[in-house]
Amino acid sequence: MKILVIGQGGREHTLVWKLAQSQLVEKIYCAPGNAGIAQIAESIPMPDRFTDLADWAASENIALTVVGPEAPLVEGIVDVFRERGLKAFGPDKRAARLEASKDFAKQLMVQNDIPTAKHQTFTDVEAAMAYIEDYNAPVFVKANGLAAGKGVIPGRTFKEALQAVTTILVDKAFGDAGDSVVIEEELIGEEASFTVLTDGTYCLPFVTSQDHKMSHDGDTGKNTGGMGAYSPAPVITPELHNDVMQRIVYPTVNGMADIGRPFKGVLYVGLMITDAGPKVVEFNCRFGDPEAQVLFPRLKSDLAPLLIACIDETLEQYAADVQWHDAAAACVVMASGGYPDPYETGEVITGLEDADAIEGVTVFHAGTKQDGANIVTAGGRVLGVTAVAGGLHDAIQQAYQGVSAIHFDKAHARSDIGYRALEKL
């Protein structure tokens, strides 16, 4: 069958890489893709209108379209494809509201007794500042809408919190995504990423993972889209895994169905493991990035039938046969200097083949493009250097060997990916 993958980041390169291993797949297209994706799939332009892309998919007999990033899902691309009788993996526009609005997600959690941080939502600056002053404790200030993973600002002091409100509501640092803010209590604990596939009723959990959102070592610096990830995440014990499924995952999926927004696709749950148990930090309606770069290399089973089963509402039939590699995986993101603040692009990247030649290492492209004979930087997060090995320590070590082999001007990578997990081993 022919498959179309939508997106141009590291998550999409990993999706294409995994789907290309399927015996069911004869050809993969990607819109718009990147320099790495172009080596294993045919890149096509991303049209301005979803209807044009759906028309193209119909004319090319595309059997499955896989939507990588959140923005097209929130804008209703799955609805457009479904109207034409085309299979598209991901939630429709109504269900994608779970990621599109943090306030909506919070309301759903409150209504279904799903554990999360205390919060309030504001559109008025003065009201938000008064709440912070009255609350008198560390908070996180979040742009309500989509902000590419960067719309969360810690307010651990009164001054920081007020500045965060100003940045989002007044300065409009995140555009329309910051028309309102969600102010949450600070949760204390360790973060983890919990990924499940769902057909709207049945939920199939992936192996656990954890990412590193802050830009610099020791989880300092600014919030980013993710600077690295690893799998498994030792913080998620079997008991916690069951707790998350029963108290968070199924209540979320069932709660969405109850309000007429059935959710089919990927449910990504960002967790904080607190002394009081797991609590939800955020929901995403797509695979995490860079979590995808450590999850798919560990998936032994064919991905394509699982994605189709989510659409056809037959996922439970496949659940017992899904297999995972026992090996661990680690991904280190190489970013442009300055990211997530302004950065330069067009820097020539060298050493990619050397890194790929290292045992267990695969380099997934994120912000790259072909420029003549060269591959150059074209985004904030440029590459995800992933390694698979028998244990997490070796996987992390091999990923950093891959990073050392690659060079581009002002490249930045954290040096401590997986440090929490290593402390537990």
Side-chain angles (χ1 to χ4, degrees):
M1 63 178 171
K2 297 180 182 178
I3 289 182
L4 169 64
V5 174
I6 295 172
Q8 60 185 352
R11 167 184 48 230
E12 288 74 40
H13 188 183
T14 318
L15 275 165
V16 169
W17 172 84
K18 180 61 180 175
L19 289 167
Q21 299 168 19
S22 173
Q23 294 182 352
L24 301 174
V25 177
E26 59 178 286
K27 186 174 180 63
I28 302 177
Y29 299 89
C30 189
N34 60 38
I37 292 172
Q39 296 172 14
I40 49 177
E42 181 176 336
S43 296
I44 63 171
M46 183 68 184
D48 293 333
R49 299 185 303 178
F50 296 152
T51 52
D52 292 341
L53 189 61
D55 289 342
W56 177 88
S59 69
E60 290 292 330
N61 296 314
I62 300 297
L64 172 66
T65 296
V66 183
V67 187
E70 62 274 17
L73 293 168
V74 168
E75 293 164 8
I77 191 169
V78 169
D79 307 67
V80 173
F81 274 64
R82 285 181 185 170
E83 287 169 3
R84 281 164 171 71
L86 299 169
K87 290 185 183 296
F89 174 79
D92 62 17
K93 184 174 183 177
R94 285 175 55 78
R97 184 76 176 161
L98 191 63
E99 180 170 1
S101 170
K102 295 179 179 63
D103 181 62
F104 171 86
K106 285 292 189 181
Q107 291 182 43
L108 183 86
M109 285 186 271
V110 170
Q111 291 164 3
N112 292 277
D113 296 321
I114 297 167
T116 189
K118 297 176 183 176
H119 77 285
Q120 290 287 339
T121 302
F122 298 91
T123 56
D124 181 77
V125 175
E126 292 184 1
M129 291 182 171
Y131 174 80
I132 291 169
E133 184 173 14
D134 184 60
Y135 187 74
N136 195 31
V139 296
F140 275 78
V141 183
K142 301 182 176 183
N144 183 47
L146 299 181
K150 305 182 191 74
V152 178
I153 304 176
R156 295 191 173 93
T157 66
F158 181 61
K159 183 178 179 180
E160 284 180 353
L162 295 187
Q163 181 56 54
V165 170
T166 299
T167 297
I168 297 173
L169 283 180
V170 179
D171 299 340
K172 291 293 183 183
F174 307 106
D176 293 343
D179 286 347
S180 59
V181 294
V182 176
I183 300 176
E184 296 183 355
E185 67 170 325
E186 180 183 30
L187 295 177
I188 305 300
E190 183 173 345
E191 288 192 64
S193 304
F194 202 94
T195 304
V196 303
L197 293 180
T198 179
D199 60 7
T201 303
Y202 184 81
C203 298
L204 174 67
F206 272 39
V207 290
T208 58
S209 62
Q210 186 176 103
D211 77 335
H212 295 264
K213 288 187 169 60
M214 306 312 288
S215 59
H216 287 77
D217 288 3
D219 293 322
T220 60
K222 291 189 175 182
N223 206 53
T224 73
M227 293 299 296
Y230 58 89
S231 176
V235 70
I236 301 290
T237 63
E239 293 77 17
L240 271 174
H241 188 283
N242 183 65
D243 194 26
V244 172
M245 289 295 291
Q246 298 306 316
R247 296 181 59 215
I248 295 173
V249 171
Y250 272 107
T252 300
V253 172
N254 293 337
M256 290 292 284
D258 289 343
I259 59 173
R261 296 175 183 259
F263 191 102
K264 297 199 294 186
V266 183
L267 177 65
Y268 167 108
V269 187
L271 296 171
M272 183 70 76
I273 312 304
T274 73
D275 290 341
K279 295 187 177 183
V280 178
V281 175
E282 64 176 350
F283 286 123
N284 292 331
C285 61
R286 36 69 187 184
F287 290 108
D289 186 349
E291 289 94 336
Q293 287 89 302
V294 295
L295 293 178
F296 292 136
R298 293 192 63 204
L299 179 62
K300 186 184 295 186
S301 299
D302 191 335
L303 178 62
L306 299 179
L307 303 185
I308 293 172
C310 288
I311 299 168
D312 294 343
E313 301 180 7
T314 58
L315 187 59
E316 189 171 5
Q317 297 177 18
Y318 293 84
D321 297 325
V322 174
Q323 296 181 322
W324 297 89
H325 294 290
D326 292 332
C331 173
V332 179
V333 169
M334 298 184 71
S336 296
Y339 173 80
D341 288 327
Y343 52 84
E344 295 180 1
T345 59
E347 305 294 348
V348 175
I349 305 170
T350 61
L352 291 169
E353 292 182 358
D354 295 333
D356 273 321
I358 297 171
E359 182 181 0
V361 172
T362 304
V363 181
F364 294 113
H365 291 229
T368 68
K369 71 176 182 178
Q370 194 77 38
D371 184 14
N374 297 318
I375 293 177
V376 301
T377 64
R381 292 186 296 168
V382 178
L383 302 166
V385 183
T386 297
V388 177
L392 195 54
H393 181 274
D394 289 341
I396 292 170
Q397 186 177 50
Q398 287 169 214
Y400 276 109
Q401 288 178 9
V403 169
S404 297
I406 299 170
H407 303 279
F408 58 89
D409 193 37
K410 300 177 183 177
H412 166 64
R414 281 182 55 161
S415 65
D416 64 346
I417 299 303
Y419 75 92
R420 287 195 183 93
L422 294 179
E423 291 171 352
K424 293 179 170 62
L425 299 179

